[in-house]
């Protein structure tokens, strides 16, 4: 399998990174440089409000929006004077923080930790209290960023976690003998007391020297952070994550990636310098792309990016999946289409669902979908087939760096799952709601708009002072009114003694509708009725 990493950073407004396996796009990262990205950054903030009803505090950390800090993300040091005994927020099975593509902290576990002896948040903090926080999730919509006091700073092979206060091994390393070896290897580095370290999967085959170099780098960085914490009052930024290019090399690059192609000279030099520090033996794999054809076009990535924005995704051999994204969840429907592999309907459905499960995992990863995801697979009667599809979906999402959880098939044949939401999806980052349809994907027909105009004409014409009404509509609506509603409009003019003009405009939206009413003296008459406010959009 040939694996490559492509970095398109020619446009100053946007950085894009694609990972290809045998020429197929498997991972895509897009970051708008014009938008602030706070995930992974560490700040010294100030508590501005406490909400006991939801056991959360709102923190001003100097970016213009208050962050959300739940009690489950409050580290032991902030409440150790209120409880007896050691911190139980971490146990022997709670050693994670391996793949951290955005430098994020430990994900919240809802109310799970509050059952482990944590006092209420109103007893831990007061308004005005200073707190060291890390952004673990970008704000989506009107919601502010999600914060945590469990600080984590990723290196190439290790993660520094001051709140852990011991050494650990990534949960993604399943072999017990390897875990024991790595734990002992980490203890031999003699990390300072009071600081915790977790070894990542990238550190499995690394030498003691490589791990020591990574630890020294993290310790130097932590010393700088501590000095800034002591020197500056809240709110202030303490530590900012590296840009996406450096983060991706640090967190995603491995020996399977044969080449890293970068299409901008200065970015290429920065990447080489970083590789010399963290992985000097792999510096030669960083290559400058200077071809005339754009990098993503040469490898067919632009076409693939265009396809992953579509609602309908065809599958090889027939069939398709349809992806609908809403505010609260994502609905994915599997359609068999022309897929036929066996004369048995049950076997056909099973094979179709297996193919769909693999593509669903890929599309979720590429589109960076998060939250609740409901998959409507083709109905299968046999229990073994249902379990087989569940396993196929679980295996396909196993490579995903975001945490996922998959439930068993429901009685209605639905497979529900959740995926960690770190930032808005690719669709929400690149697109905006259509001003014509307000994001619904549909607009009223010309006939519907014409009927609405007629109702409003009757309302406005009935006003005693109105002598002239001018209506601005889209040209198709205007054509309908002038051709099919001309007689009714004339009757209104005679009945109410008003002059009605229909203006057809070509450069407006299909639902554009504006009424301009005047009296005999030419004075404009404004209406405050609900209908009129609707007409003035």
């Amino acid at each position: 399998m040939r694996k490559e990493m492509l970095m398109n950073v020619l446009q100053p407004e946007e950085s894009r990174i694609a990972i290809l396996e045998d020429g197929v796009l498997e991972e895509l990262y897009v970051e708008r440089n014009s938008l602030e990205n706070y995930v992974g950054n560490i700040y010294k903030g100030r508590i501005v409000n406490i909400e006991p009803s939801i056991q959360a505090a709102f923190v001003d950390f100097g970016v213009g929006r208050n962050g959300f800090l739940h009690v489950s993300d409050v580290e032991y040091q902030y409440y150790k004077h209120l409880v007896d005994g050691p911190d139980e927020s971490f146990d022997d099975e709670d050693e994670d923080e391996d793949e951290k593509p955005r430098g994020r902290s430990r994900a919240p576990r809802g109310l799970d930790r509050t059952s482990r002896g944590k006092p209420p948040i109103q007893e831990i903090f007061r308004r005005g209290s200073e707190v060291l926080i890390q952004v673990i999730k970008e704000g989506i919509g009107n919601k502010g960023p999600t914060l945590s006091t469990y600080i984590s700073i990723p290196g190439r092979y290790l993660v520094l976690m001051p709140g852990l206060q011991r050494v650990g091994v990534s949960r993604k390393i399943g072999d017990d003998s390897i875990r024991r070896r790595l734990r002992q290897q980490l203890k031999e580095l003699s990390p300072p007391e009071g600081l915790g370290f977790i070894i990542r999967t990238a550190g499995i085959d690394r030498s003691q020297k490589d791990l020591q170099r990574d630890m020294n780098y993290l310790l130097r960085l932590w010393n700088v952070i501590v000095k800034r914490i002591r020197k500056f009052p809240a709110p202030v930024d303490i530590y900012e994550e590296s840009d996406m290019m450096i983060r991706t090399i640090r967190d995603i690059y491995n020996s399977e990636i044969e080449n890293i192609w970068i299409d901008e000279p200065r970015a290429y030099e920065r990447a080489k310098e970083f590789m010399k520090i963290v992985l000097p033996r792999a510096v030669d794999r960083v290559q400058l792309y200077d071809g005339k054809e754009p990098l993503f076009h040469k490898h067919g990535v632009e076409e693939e990016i265009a396809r992953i924005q579509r609602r309908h995704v065809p599958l090889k051999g027939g069939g398709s999946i349809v992806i609908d994204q809403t505010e609260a969840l994502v609905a994915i429907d599997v359609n068999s289409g022309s897929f036929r592999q066996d004369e048995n309907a049950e076997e056909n459905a099973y094979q179709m669902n297996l193919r769909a499960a693999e593509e669903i995992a890929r599309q979720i990863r590429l589109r960076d979908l998060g939250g609740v995801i409901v998959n409507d697979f083709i109905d299968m009667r046999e229990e073994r087939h249902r379990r087989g599809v569940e396993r196929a979906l679980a295996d396909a999402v196993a490579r995903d760096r975001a945490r996922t959880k998959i439930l068993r098939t429901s009685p209605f044949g639905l497979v529900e799952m959740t995926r960690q939401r770190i930032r808005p999806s690719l669709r929400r980052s690149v697109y905006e709601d259509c001003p014509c349809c307000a994001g619904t994907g549909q607009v009223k027909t010309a006939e519907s708009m014409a009927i609405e105009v007629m109702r409003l004409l009757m309302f406005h014409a009935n006003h005693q002072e109105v002598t002239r009404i001018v209506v601005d509509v889209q040209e198709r609506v205007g054509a309908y009114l002038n051709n099919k509603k001309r007689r009714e409009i004339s009757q209104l003019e005679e009945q109410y003694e008003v002059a009605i003009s229909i203006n057809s405009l070509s450069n407006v939206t299909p639902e554009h509708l504006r009424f301009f009413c005047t009296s005999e003296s030419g004075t404009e008459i404004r209406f405050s009725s609900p209908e009129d406010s609707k007409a003035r959009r």
Side-chain angles (χ1 to χ4, degrees):
M1 180 180 65
R2 180 178 176 81
K3 199 171 182 180
E4 293 183 300
M5 182 183 292
L6 312 180
M7 296 191 173
N8 171 226
V9 290
L10 274 177
Q11 302 300 322
E13 297 87 0
E14 184 179 69
S15 300
R16 302 186 300 174
I17 299 176
I19 297 179
L20 275 60
E21 294 182 7
D22 292 332
V24 178
L25 179 64
E26 290 294 339
E27 296 183 50
L28 176 67
Y29 303 95
V30 179
E31 188 173 279
R32 288 287 168 88
N33 300 330
S34 57
L35 300 176
E36 290 285 349
N37 181 25
Y38 305 117
V39 173
N41 293 357
I42 299 174
Y43 300 86
K44 187 178 182 182
R46 189 182 303 278
I47 305 292
V48 294
N49 194 22
I50 297 174
E51 293 289 346
S53 60
I54 58 174
Q55 282 298 292
F58 292 90
V59 183
D60 174 16
F61 58 103
V63 301
R65 311 174 61 184
N66 293 337
F68 178 87
L69 175 64
H70 191 265
V71 68
S72 61
D73 281 303
V74 178
E75 202 262 332
Y76 173 68
Q77 299 300 320
Y78 289 96
Y79 61 85
K80 62 181 180 181
H81 61 288
L82 300 174
V83 298
D84 297 326
D87 180 21
E88 295 181 351
S89 295
F90 297 100
D91 55 34
D92 290 338
E93 298 302 322
D94 203 13
E95 297 164 2
D96 202 348
E97 300 311 303
D98 174 39
E99 304 300 339
K100 305 172 71 65
R102 302 172 189 88
R104 59 184 180 270
S105 174
R106 177 179 302 275
R109 301 172 86 182
L111 298 176
D112 197 27
R113 289 180 187 154
T114 60
S115 63
R116 300 186 180 188
K118 282 193 177 183
I121 196 165
Q122 62 268 28
E123 295 181 12
I124 301 175
F125 294 118
R126 295 287 183 271
R127 286 189 181 182
S129 299
E130 292 189 345
V131 58
L132 186 68
I133 55 90
Q134 186 170 35
V135 180
I136 60 174
K137 187 187 299 183
E138 286 284 8
I140 299 177
N142 295 324
K143 298 179 181 179
T146 303
L147 313 177
S148 174
T149 62
Y150 290 95
I151 306 300
S152 65
I153 306 171
R156 173 62 183 158
Y157 309 117
L158 306 174
V159 178
L160 168 62
M161 298 185 70
L164 186 58
Q165 300 184 1
R166 58 184 175 81
V167 298
V169 180
S170 167
R171 188 184 298 162
K172 293 187 178 182
I173 302 174
D175 190 293
D176 289 338
S177 61
I178 296 178
R179 292 179 66 86
R180 286 193 294 270
R181 175 177 62 81
L182 291 175
R183 192 187 298 271
Q184 182 60 35
Q185 195 174 359
L186 198 50
K187 287 180 179 179
E188 291 175 359
L189 296 178
S190 302
E193 289 188 17
L195 293 179
F197 287 89
I198 289 177
I199 191 164
R200 309 175 67 175
T201 53
I204 289 180
D205 299 321
R206 309 316 303 182
S207 66
Q208 200 80 348
K209 184 178 179 180
D210 290 335
L211 298 180
Q212 184 68 64
R213 182 166 56 238
D214 205 38
M215 179 179 287
N216 292 341
Y217 159 74
L218 290 172
L219 290 175
R220 289 195 300 269
L221 184 57
W222 179 245
N223 288 333
V224 173
I225 289 174
V226 170
K227 290 179 182 178
R228 286 187 60 83
I229 294 171
R230 294 171 177 170
K231 183 176 180 180
F232 298 103
V236 64
D237 63 303
I238 300 297
Y239 162 80
E240 290 190 7
E241 255 286 44
S242 307
D243 60 32
M244 187 174 70
M245 184 183 72
I246 299 300
R247 291 200 312 268
T248 305
I249 295 176
R250 179 193 69 197
D251 297 316
I252 297 178
Y253 173 81
N254 56 42
S255 58
E256 295 179 356
I257 297 177
E258 298 180 11
N259 291 299
I260 301 175
W261 291 99
I262 305 176
D263 60 3
E264 205 278 324
R266 286 177 295 181
Y268 163 73
E269 293 296 335
R270 287 178 52 238
K272 284 197 69 172
E273 289 298 321
F274 181 75
M275 286 292 278
K276 287 179 182 177
I277 297 172
V278 299
L279 208 60
R281 291 189 292 272
V283 171
D284 293 339
R285 298 195 180 189
V286 180
Q287 302 288 330
L288 176 64
Y289 177 78
D290 56 1
K292 294 182 179 181
E293 186 180 5
L295 178 61
F296 273 28
H297 280 89
K298 179 178 175 63
H299 291 81
V301 178
E302 293 290 3
E303 297 176 10
E304 188 66 34
I305 291 176
R307 280 197 293 268
I308 66 174
Q309 307 298 345
R310 297 172 186 166
R311 177 173 176 263
H312 183 271
V313 182
L315 301 177
K316 292 181 179 179
S320 63
I321 61 175
V322 178
I323 303 174
D324 285 316
Q325 185 177 351
T326 70
E327 189 71 26
L329 57 83
V330 177
I332 302 178
D333 184 38
V334 180
N335 297 321
S336 59
S338 61
F339 178 82
R340 300 291 184 274
Q341 195 176 57
D342 196 283
E343 294 182 0
N344 184 289
E346 175 75 10
E347 187 63 26
N348 262 331
Y350 178 54
Q351 294 300 325
M352 180 70 232
N353 287 337
L354 290 179
R355 296 189 181 197
E358 185 176 348
E359 186 62 25
I360 285 172
R362 178 172 174 266
Q363 291 294 327
I364 288 173
R365 190 169 61 249
L366 291 177
R367 299 175 189 227
D368 204 10
L369 301 176
V372 178
I373 302 171
V374 180
N375 303 290
D376 185 8
F377 288 98
I378 300 171
D379 290 339
M380 298 173 294
R381 295 182 179 180
E382 296 188 23
E383 187 69 17
R384 62 188 180 92
H385 286 163
R386 294 181 181 181
R387 300 288 88 82
V389 171
E390 292 167 8
R391 287 192 298 271
L393 184 59
D395 292 342
V397 301
R399 62 177 297 169
D400 199 337
R401 290 175 174 82
R403 280 181 284 275
T404 58
K405 182 178 181 180
I406 302 173
L407 300 182
R408 300 282 291 270
T409 305
S410 75
F412 297 109
L414 305 176
V415 177
E416 301 170 61
M417 61 183 291
T418 60
R419 183 176 184 269
Q420 185 182 26
R421 191 198 299 272
I422 301 299
R423 60 183 179 182
S425 68
L426 185 61
R427 174 183 166 187
R428 297 190 188 277
S429 301
V430 176
Y431 291 85
E432 62 181 7
D433 286 344
C434 171
C436 299
C437 66
T440 65
Q442 293 180 318
V443 293
K444 288 183 177 180
T445 64
E447 181 182 25
S448 298
M449 289 301 300
I451 294 171
E452 186 174 342
V453 169
M454 293 306 297
R455 293 194 185 107
L456 291 172
L457 278 175
M458 294 176 65
F459 170 79
H460 289 84
N462 190 44
H463 197 281
Q464 292 182 352
E465 297 182 12
V466 173
T467 60
R468 179 175 174 79
I469 303 174
V470 179
V471 185
D472 291 343
V473 292
Q474 201 261 352
E475 57 184 354
R476 290 178 60 243
V477 182
Y480 192 100
L481 289 167
N482 287 321
N483 294 327
K484 297 187 177 183
K485 293 290 184 180
R486 186 71 259 173
R487 180 180 297 179
E488 296 177 39
I489 292 174
S490 298
Q491 290 174 351
L492 287 175
E493 289 178 317
E494 293 177 6
Q495 181 180 354
Y496 295 103
E497 297 181 352
V498 296
I500 300 174
S501 299
I502 306 296
N503 289 341
S504 299
L505 307 177
S506 60
N507 59 343
V508 295
T509 66
E511 292 188 10
H512 178 81
L513 179 56
R514 184 182 185 278
F515 278 72
F516 186 78
C517 303
T518 56
S519 64
E520 189 173 358
S521 62
T523 304
E524 182 181 1
I525 300 174
R526 296 180 179 274
F527 292 84
S528 58
S529 68
E531 291 86 355
D532 186 71
S533 63
K534 184 177 182 181
R536 288 182 176 275
R537 60 177 176 263

